[in-house]
């Protein structure tokens, strides 16, 4: 291969470009990015950047001395893919041909239906989103966050740290029950009430009120919450619509094997848009976390450069972290219904603990709250088990 195109210029795309050079690819390398910005770090958008503690320059992912010898096409969106010729159609009319393609188009925040018609309604995914939300978090603003997932919880934490009145609405009976299970999800969610954030669980949102600007949130049980700022933290949508009709296997993301290879030769997918096959789960799954976007591209690049042969290195178990109300929350692994969590150290009441999830007696996941050292030890064990179970 003499020419490789990376579609997507955020963390996953940058990581793929770095891996290509590190693994010996010396040919023509092009990165296509829909945003005008060079790659930047997204996790601080809901925390340090939103609070004003860092500026945009502090989000840069590239080092001052980094030189990938790549062509950057920024502010350009891919609109189509011809897999027969491995050519990309871009919205500026350009047709970009390549011998190999890395798909890293990520995801976008799921908007609240009709929210774009009201000022004061926000989602948080891009630097521009964060700049608009930061400007809206003025003194005295009443903030309602829809969704008690990690993004919504981090925004709530930041807004409370700025001294604002914050309410979080979660339709599920227990926040974070999906990734953490009901018991430990509730334990983590107690951080909200500990710090003065009002939390409403088990009730959905009927709609938003206001003419030109949002004034409130109507709940399905009839209550109305006054709001000057509404933030929808209700998940993400993979940016794969442009790939329909290309011949790739699409579902909730671009379906790949366990090495990142798609069903089309010399095309791999990484990051939030990719649904890799997980042998342990027996299905495809998108991993929308920073660590996956940082680590998995090296595996996918090895697959691409070897002609589609997976390198036999299993990805580490999914890992994410979240900083809320001064606490560091870390999770590694995957929890299924019926997995049994056991608190190994610390106390739920003190909001400092490590809990290990077991399936048929075997550790499959670990949750840590303000227990970084012990959590790291358990995470290392999970990674060792994953490597030992990798196909050779």
């Amino acid at each position: 291969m003499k020419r490789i195109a990376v579609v997507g210029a955020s963390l996953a795309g940058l990581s793929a470009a770095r891996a290509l050079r590190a693994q010996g690819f010396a040919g023509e390398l092009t990165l296509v990015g829909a945003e005008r910005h060079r790659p930047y770090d997204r996790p601080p958008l809901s925390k340090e950047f939103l609070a004003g503690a860092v500026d945009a320059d502090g989000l840069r992912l590239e080092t001052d001395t980094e030189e990938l010898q790549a062509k950057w096409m920024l502010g350009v969106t891919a609109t189509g893919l011809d897999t027969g010729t491995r050519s990309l159609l871009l919205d500026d009319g350009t047709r970009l041909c390549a011998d190999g393609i890395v798909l890293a188009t990520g995801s976008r925040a799921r908007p609240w239906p009709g929210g774009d018609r009201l000022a004061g309604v926000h989602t948080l995914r891009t630097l521009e989103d964060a700049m608009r939300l930061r400007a809206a978090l003025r003194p005295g603003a009443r903030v309602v966050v829809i969704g008690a997932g990690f993004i919504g919880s981090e925004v709530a934490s930041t807004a409370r740290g700025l001294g604002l009145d914050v309410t979080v609405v979660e339709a599920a009976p227990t926040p974070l029950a999906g990734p953490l299970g009901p018991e430990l999800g509730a334990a983590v969610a107690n951080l909200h009430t500990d710090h003065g954030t009002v939390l409403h669980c088990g009730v959905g949102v009927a709609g938003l009120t206001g003419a030109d600007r949002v004034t409130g949130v109507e709940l399905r049980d009839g209550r109305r919450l006054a709001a000057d700022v509404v933030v929808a933290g209700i998940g993400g949508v993979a940016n794969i619509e442009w790939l329909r009709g290309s011949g790739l296997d699409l579902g909730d993301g671009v379906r790949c094997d366990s090495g990142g290879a798609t069903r089309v030769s010399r095309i791999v997918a990484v990051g939030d848009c990719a649904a890799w096959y997980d042998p342990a789960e027996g299905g495809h799954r998108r991993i929308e976390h920073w660590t996956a976007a940082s680590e998995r591209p090296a595996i996918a690049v090895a697959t691409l450069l070897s002609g589609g042969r997976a390198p036999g290195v299993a990805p580490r178990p999914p890992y994410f972290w979240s900083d809320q109300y001064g606490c560091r929350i870390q999770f590694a692994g995957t929890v299924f219904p019926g997995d049994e969590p056991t608190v190994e150290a610390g106390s739920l009441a003190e909001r400092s603990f490590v809990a290990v999830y077991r399936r048929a007696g075997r550790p499959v996941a670990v949750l840590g709250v303000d227990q970084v050292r012990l959590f790291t030890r358990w995470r290392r064990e999970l990674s060792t088990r994953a490597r030992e179970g990798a196909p050779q």
Side-chain angles (χ1 to χ4, degrees), residues 286-313:
R286 286 197 304 129
I287 306 295
E288 299 179 85
H289 303 309
W290 190 96
T291 308
S294 176
E295 296 177 349
R296 292 191 175 198
I299 298 175
V301 162
T303 300
L304 177 64
L305 295 179
S306 67
R309 187 171 59 255
V313 178

PDB file of all heavy atoms in Angstrom, residues 286-313:
ATOM      1  N   ARG A 286     -20.045  -1.290  20.151  1.00  0.00           N
ATOM      2  CA  ARG A 286     -19.281  -0.045  20.084  1.00  0.00           C
ATOM      3  C   ARG A 286     -18.773   0.300  21.484  1.00  0.00           C
ATOM      4  O   ARG A 286     -19.516   0.230  22.451  1.00  0.00           O
ATOM      5  CB  ARG A 286     -20.152   1.107  19.582  1.00  0.00           C
ATOM      6  CG  ARG A 286     -20.447   1.060  18.104  1.00  0.00           C
ATOM      7  CD  ARG A 286     -20.938   2.400  17.572  1.00  0.00           C
ATOM      8  NE  ARG A 286     -22.099   2.913  18.252  1.00  0.00           N
ATOM      9  CZ  ARG A 286     -22.201   4.136  18.757  1.00  0.00           C
ATOM     10  NH1 ARG A 286     -21.178   4.984  18.677  1.00  0.00           N
ATOM     11  NH2 ARG A 286     -23.305   4.530  19.350  1.00  0.00           N
ATOM     12  N   ILE A 287     -17.516   0.695  21.570  1.00  0.00           N
ATOM     13  CA  ILE A 287     -16.911   1.122  22.830  1.00  0.00           C
ATOM     14  C   ILE A 287     -16.630   2.612  22.701  1.00  0.00           C
ATOM     15  O   ILE A 287     -15.704   3.033  22.014  1.00  0.00           O
ATOM     16  CB  ILE A 287     -15.609   0.370  23.143  1.00  0.00           C
ATOM     17  CG1 ILE A 287     -15.856  -1.148  23.112  1.00  0.00           C
ATOM     18  CG2 ILE A 287     -15.056   0.795  24.500  1.00  0.00           C
ATOM     19  CD1 ILE A 287     -16.802  -1.644  24.176  1.00  0.00           C
ATOM     20  N   GLU A 288     -17.455   3.430  23.348  1.00  0.00           N
ATOM     21  CA  GLU A 288     -17.360   4.885  23.188  1.00  0.00           C
ATOM     22  C   GLU A 288     -16.553   5.508  24.329  1.00  0.00           C
ATOM     23  O   GLU A 288     -17.051   6.385  25.042  1.00  0.00           O
ATOM     24  CB  GLU A 288     -18.755   5.504  23.137  1.00  0.00           C
ATOM     25  CG  GLU A 288     -19.609   5.013  21.977  1.00  0.00           C
ATOM     26  CD  GLU A 288     -20.986   5.637  21.966  1.00  0.00           C
ATOM     27  OE1 GLU A 288     -21.138   6.740  21.424  1.00  0.00           O
ATOM     28  OE2 GLU A 288     -21.911   5.032  22.536  1.00  0.00           O
ATOM     29  N   HIS A 289     -15.323   5.081  24.473  1.00  0.00           N
ATOM     30  CA  HIS A 289     -14.493   5.606  25.550  1.00  0.00           C
ATOM     31  C   HIS A 289     -13.130   6.022  25.002  1.00  0.00           C
ATOM     32  O   HIS A 289     -12.640   5.473  24.016  1.00  0.00           O
ATOM     33  CB  HIS A 289     -14.322   4.564  26.663  1.00  0.00           C
ATOM     34  CG  HIS A 289     -15.605   4.092  27.240  1.00  0.00           C
ATOM     35  ND1 HIS A 289     -16.577   4.949  27.692  1.00  0.00           N
ATOM     36  CD2 HIS A 289     -16.104   2.836  27.425  1.00  0.00           C
ATOM     37  CE1 HIS A 289     -17.605   4.243  28.145  1.00  0.00           C
ATOM     38  NE2 HIS A 289     -17.343   2.970  27.989  1.00  0.00           N
ATOM     39  N   TRP A 290     -12.510   6.963  25.700  1.00  0.00           N
ATOM     40  CA  TRP A 290     -11.233   7.538  25.289  1.00  0.00           C
ATOM     41  C   TRP A 290     -10.169   6.461  25.107  1.00  0.00           C
ATOM     42  O   TRP A 290      -9.420   6.489  24.127  1.00  0.00           O
ATOM     43  CB  TRP A 290     -10.799   8.551  26.352  1.00  0.00           C
ATOM     44  CG  TRP A 290      -9.630   9.401  25.987  1.00  0.00           C
ATOM     45  CD1 TRP A 290      -9.660  10.659  25.452  1.00  0.00           C
ATOM     46  CD2 TRP A 290      -8.237   9.070  26.140  1.00  0.00           C
ATOM     47  NE1 TRP A 290      -8.378  11.129  25.266  1.00  0.00           N
ATOM     48  CE2 TRP A 290      -7.483  10.177  25.679  1.00  0.00           C
ATOM     49  CE3 TRP A 290      -7.559   7.953  26.623  1.00  0.00           C
ATOM     50  CZ2 TRP A 290      -6.089  10.193  25.696  1.00  0.00           C
ATOM     51  CZ3 TRP A 290      -6.168   7.956  26.628  1.00  0.00           C
ATOM     52  CH2 TRP A 290      -5.453   9.072  26.172  1.00  0.00           C
ATOM     53  N   THR A 291     -10.109   5.522  26.032  1.00  0.00           N
ATOM     54  CA  THR A 291      -9.047   4.519  25.992  1.00  0.00           C
ATOM     55  C   THR A 291      -9.158   3.639  24.752  1.00  0.00           C
ATOM     56  O   THR A 291      -8.141   3.305  24.124  1.00  0.00           O
ATOM     57  CB  THR A 291      -9.072   3.651  27.260  1.00  0.00           C
ATOM     58  OG1 THR A 291      -9.073   4.508  28.399  1.00  0.00           O
ATOM     59  CG2 THR A 291      -7.857   2.751  27.323  1.00  0.00           C
ATOM     60  N   ALA A 292     -10.372   3.265  24.381  1.00  0.00           N
ATOM     61  CA  ALA A 292     -10.543   2.443  23.176  1.00  0.00           C
ATOM     62  C   ALA A 292     -10.101   3.208  21.935  1.00  0.00           C
ATOM     63  O   ALA A 292      -9.463   2.648  21.039  1.00  0.00           O
ATOM     64  CB  ALA A 292     -11.998   2.004  23.046  1.00  0.00           C
ATOM     65  N   ALA A 293     -10.437   4.499  21.868  1.00  0.00           N
ATOM     66  CA  ALA A 293     -10.033   5.310  20.719  1.00  0.00           C
ATOM     67  C   ALA A 293      -8.537   5.528  20.674  1.00  0.00           C
ATOM     68  O   ALA A 293      -7.961   5.783  19.621  1.00  0.00           O
ATOM     69  CB  ALA A 293     -10.754   6.654  20.757  1.00  0.00           C
ATOM     70  N   SER A 294      -7.878   5.408  21.821  1.00  0.00           N
ATOM     71  CA  SER A 294      -6.430   5.590  21.902  1.00  0.00           C
ATOM     72  C   SER A 294      -5.667   4.298  21.618  1.00  0.00           C
ATOM     73  O   SER A 294      -4.633   4.309  20.948  1.00  0.00           O
ATOM     74  CB  SER A 294      -6.057   6.115  23.293  1.00  0.00           C
ATOM     75  OG  SER A 294      -4.671   6.209  23.449  1.00  0.00           O
ATOM     76  N   GLU A 295      -6.179   3.157  22.109  1.00  0.00           N
ATOM     77  CA  GLU A 295      -5.437   1.901  22.055  1.00  0.00           C
ATOM     78  C   GLU A 295      -5.777   1.017  20.854  1.00  0.00           C
ATOM     79  O   GLU A 295      -4.884   0.398  20.252  1.00  0.00           O
ATOM     80  CB  GLU A 295      -5.678   1.107  23.340  1.00  0.00           C
ATOM     81  CG  GLU A 295      -5.148   1.777  24.593  1.00  0.00           C
ATOM     82  CD  GLU A 295      -5.467   0.988  25.851  1.00  0.00           C
ATOM     83  OE1 GLU A 295      -6.273   0.028  25.777  1.00  0.00           O
ATOM     84  OE2 GLU A 295      -4.910   1.345  26.901  1.00  0.00           O
ATOM     85  N   ARG A 296      -7.054   0.922  20.497  1.00  0.00           N
ATOM     86  CA  ARG A 296      -7.456  -0.039  19.467  1.00  0.00           C
ATOM     87  C   ARG A 296      -6.961   0.283  18.061  1.00  0.00           C
ATOM     88  O   ARG A 296      -6.779  -0.640  17.251  1.00  0.00           O
ATOM     89  CB  ARG A 296      -8.975  -0.215  19.478  1.00  0.00           C
ATOM     90  CG  ARG A 296      -9.482  -0.902  20.733  1.00  0.00           C
ATOM     91  CD  ARG A 296     -10.922  -1.315  20.617  1.00  0.00           C
ATOM     92  NE  ARG A 296     -11.337  -2.085  21.797  1.00  0.00           N
ATOM     93  CZ  ARG A 296     -12.402  -2.859  21.842  1.00  0.00           C
ATOM     94  NH1 ARG A 296     -13.182  -2.964  20.775  1.00  0.00           N
ATOM     95  NH2 ARG A 296     -12.707  -3.526  22.933  1.00  0.00           N
ATOM     96  N   PRO A 297      -6.736   1.562  17.711  1.00  0.00           N
ATOM     97  CA  PRO A 297      -6.211   1.816  16.365  1.00  0.00           C
ATOM     98  C   PRO A 297      -4.907   1.098  16.051  1.00  0.00           C
ATOM     99  O   PRO A 297      -4.674   0.723  14.891  1.00  0.00           O
ATOM    100  CB  PRO A 297      -6.029   3.342  16.360  1.00  0.00           C
ATOM    101  CG  PRO A 297      -7.127   3.840  17.250  1.00  0.00           C
ATOM    102  CD  PRO A 297      -7.168   2.829  18.364  1.00  0.00           C
ATOM    103  N   ALA A 298      -4.040   0.868  17.037  1.00  0.00           N
ATOM    104  CA  ALA A 298      -2.795   0.143  16.774  1.00  0.00           C
ATOM    105  C   ALA A 298      -3.091  -1.282  16.311  1.00  0.00           C
ATOM    106  O   ALA A 298      -2.394  -1.831  15.438  1.00  0.00           O
ATOM    107  CB  ALA A 298      -1.921   0.125  18.025  1.00  0.00           C
ATOM    108  N   ILE A 299      -4.129  -1.905  16.885  1.00  0.00           N
ATOM    109  CA  ILE A 299      -4.515  -3.256  16.474  1.00  0.00           C
ATOM    110  C   ILE A 299      -5.081  -3.226  15.053  1.00  0.00           C
ATOM    111  O   ILE A 299      -4.737  -4.055  14.205  1.00  0.00           O
ATOM    112  CB  ILE A 299      -5.537  -3.848  17.465  1.00  0.00           C
ATOM    113  CG1 ILE A 299      -4.910  -3.975  18.859  1.00  0.00           C
ATOM    114  CG2 ILE A 299      -6.046  -5.198  16.971  1.00  0.00           C
ATOM    115  CD1 ILE A 299      -5.895  -4.438  19.929  1.00  0.00           C
ATOM    116  N   ALA A 300      -5.959  -2.239  14.789  1.00  0.00           N
ATOM    117  CA  ALA A 300      -6.582  -2.146  13.464  1.00  0.00           C
ATOM    118  C   ALA A 300      -5.539  -1.849  12.386  1.00  0.00           C
ATOM    119  O   ALA A 300      -5.614  -2.385  11.272  1.00  0.00           O
ATOM    120  CB  ALA A 300      -7.658  -1.064  13.479  1.00  0.00           C
ATOM    121  N   VAL A 301      -4.565  -1.009  12.693  1.00  0.00           N
ATOM    122  CA  VAL A 301      -3.511  -0.698  11.725  1.00  0.00           C
ATOM    123  C   VAL A 301      -2.680  -1.941  11.435  1.00  0.00           C
ATOM    124  O   VAL A 301      -2.319  -2.209  10.277  1.00  0.00           O
ATOM    125  CB  VAL A 301      -2.634   0.453  12.262  1.00  0.00           C
ATOM    126  CG1 VAL A 301      -1.303   0.511  11.531  1.00  0.00           C
ATOM    127  CG2 VAL A 301      -3.382   1.773  12.112  1.00  0.00           C
ATOM    128  N   ALA A 302      -2.367  -2.720  12.450  1.00  0.00           N
ATOM    129  CA  ALA A 302      -1.638  -3.974  12.218  1.00  0.00           C
ATOM    130  C   ALA A 302      -2.448  -4.907  11.321  1.00  0.00           C
ATOM    131  O   ALA A 302      -1.899  -5.579  10.439  1.00  0.00           O
ATOM    132  CB  ALA A 302      -1.334  -4.647  13.557  1.00  0.00           C
ATOM    133  N   THR A 303      -3.756  -4.946  11.523  1.00  0.00           N
ATOM    134  CA  THR A 303      -4.633  -5.739  10.662  1.00  0.00           C
ATOM    135  C   THR A 303      -4.583  -5.239   9.236  1.00  0.00           C
ATOM    136  O   THR A 303      -4.467  -6.018   8.275  1.00  0.00           O
ATOM    137  CB  THR A 303      -6.082  -5.686  11.186  1.00  0.00           C
ATOM    138  OG1 THR A 303      -6.129  -6.220  12.511  1.00  0.00           O
ATOM    139  CG2 THR A 303      -7.017  -6.465  10.295  1.00  0.00           C
ATOM    140  N   LEU A 304      -4.651  -3.916   9.059  1.00  0.00           N
ATOM    141  CA  LEU A 304      -4.646  -3.321   7.725  1.00  0.00           C
ATOM    142  C   LEU A 304      -3.337  -3.590   7.000  1.00  0.00           C
ATOM    143  O   LEU A 304      -3.319  -4.018   5.833  1.00  0.00           O
ATOM    144  CB  LEU A 304      -4.878  -1.809   7.845  1.00  0.00           C
ATOM    145  CG  LEU A 304      -4.847  -0.994   6.550  1.00  0.00           C
ATOM    146  CD1 LEU A 304      -5.992  -1.410   5.633  1.00  0.00           C
ATOM    147  CD2 LEU A 304      -4.932   0.499   6.872  1.00  0.00           C
ATOM    148  N   LEU A 305      -2.224  -3.366   7.667  1.00  0.00           N
ATOM    149  CA  LEU A 305      -0.924  -3.516   7.026  1.00  0.00           C
ATOM    150  C   LEU A 305      -0.569  -4.969   6.730  1.00  0.00           C
ATOM    151  O   LEU A 305       0.283  -5.242   5.883  1.00  0.00           O
ATOM    152  CB  LEU A 305       0.160  -2.877   7.894  1.00  0.00           C
ATOM    153  CG  LEU A 305       0.057  -1.358   8.081  1.00  0.00           C
ATOM    154  CD1 LEU A 305       1.172  -0.852   8.979  1.00  0.00           C
ATOM    155  CD2 LEU A 305       0.081  -0.639   6.737  1.00  0.00           C
ATOM    156  N   SER A 306      -1.219  -5.895   7.425  1.00  0.00           N
ATOM    157  CA  SER A 306      -0.941  -7.319   7.191  1.00  0.00           C
ATOM    158  C   SER A 306      -1.885  -7.921   6.157  1.00  0.00           C
ATOM    159  O   SER A 306      -1.860  -9.133   5.930  1.00  0.00           O
ATOM    160  CB  SER A 306      -1.067  -8.096   8.507  1.00  0.00           C
ATOM    161  OG  SER A 306      -2.413  -8.107   8.952  1.00  0.00           O
ATOM    162  N   GLY A 307      -2.721  -7.087   5.564  1.00  0.00           N
ATOM    163  CA  GLY A 307      -3.638  -7.592   4.551  1.00  0.00           C
ATOM    164  C   GLY A 307      -4.909  -8.181   5.115  1.00  0.00           C
ATOM    165  O   GLY A 307      -5.566  -8.990   4.463  1.00  0.00           O
ATOM    166  N   GLY A 308      -5.269  -7.801   6.333  1.00  0.00           N
ATOM    167  CA  GLY A 308      -6.523  -8.254   6.928  1.00  0.00           C
ATOM    168  C   GLY A 308      -6.365  -9.330   7.971  1.00  0.00           C
ATOM    169  O   GLY A 308      -7.359  -9.798   8.529  1.00  0.00           O
ATOM    170  N   ARG A 309      -5.142  -9.703   8.263  1.00  0.00           N
ATOM    171  CA  ARG A 309      -4.899 -10.753   9.255  1.00  0.00           C
ATOM    172  C   ARG A 309      -4.790 -10.109  10.641  1.00  0.00           C
ATOM    173  O   ARG A 309      -3.878  -9.320  10.906  1.00  0.00           O
ATOM    174  CB  ARG A 309      -3.621 -11.516   8.912  1.00  0.00           C
ATOM    175  CG  ARG A 309      -3.363 -12.748   9.776  1.00  0.00           C
ATOM    176  CD  ARG A 309      -2.200 -13.556   9.239  1.00  0.00           C
ATOM    177  NE  ARG A 309      -0.963 -12.790   9.187  1.00  0.00           N
ATOM    178  CZ  ARG A 309      -0.436 -12.308   8.068  1.00  0.00           C
ATOM    179  NH1 ARG A 309      -1.031 -12.504   6.902  1.00  0.00           N
ATOM    180  NH2 ARG A 309       0.699 -11.629   8.100  1.00  0.00           N
ATOM    181  N   ALA A 310      -5.717 -10.440  11.526  1.00  0.00           N
ATOM    182  CA  ALA A 310      -5.701  -9.871  12.879  1.00  0.00           C
ATOM    183  C   ALA A 310      -4.413 -10.260  13.580  1.00  0.00           C
ATOM    184  O   ALA A 310      -3.917 -11.385  13.429  1.00  0.00           O
ATOM    185  CB  ALA A 310      -6.907 -10.355  13.679  1.00  0.00           C
ATOM    186  N   PRO A 311      -3.819  -9.347  14.369  1.00  0.00           N
ATOM    187  CA  PRO A 311      -2.509  -9.619  14.968  1.00  0.00           C
ATOM    188  C   PRO A 311      -2.517 -10.605  16.119  1.00  0.00           C
ATOM    189  O   PRO A 311      -1.466 -10.946  16.639  1.00  0.00           O
ATOM    190  CB  PRO A 311      -2.081  -8.229  15.457  1.00  0.00           C
ATOM    191  CG  PRO A 311      -3.356  -7.493  15.700  1.00  0.00           C
ATOM    192  CD  PRO A 311      -4.305  -7.995  14.653  1.00  0.00           C
ATOM    193  N   GLY A 312      -3.696 -11.067  16.562  1.00  0.00           N
ATOM    194  CA  GLY A 312      -3.753 -12.025  17.666  1.00  0.00           C
ATOM    195  C   GLY A 312      -3.561 -11.393  19.016  1.00  0.00           C
ATOM    196  O   GLY A 312      -3.271 -12.087  19.996  1.00  0.00           O
ATOM    197  N   VAL A 313      -3.695 -10.074  19.089  1.00  0.00           N
ATOM    198  CA  VAL A 313      -3.600  -9.355  20.353  1.00  0.00           C
ATOM    199  C   VAL A 313      -4.994  -8.875  20.730  1.00  0.00           C
ATOM    200  O   VAL A 313      -5.603  -8.081  20.018  1.00  0.00           O
ATOM    201  CB  VAL A 313      -2.645  -8.148  20.237  1.00  0.00           C
ATOM    202  CG1 VAL A 313      -2.603  -7.374  21.547  1.00  0.00           C
ATOM    203  CG2 VAL A 313      -1.252  -8.612  19.840  1.00  0.00           C
TER     204      VAL A 313
END
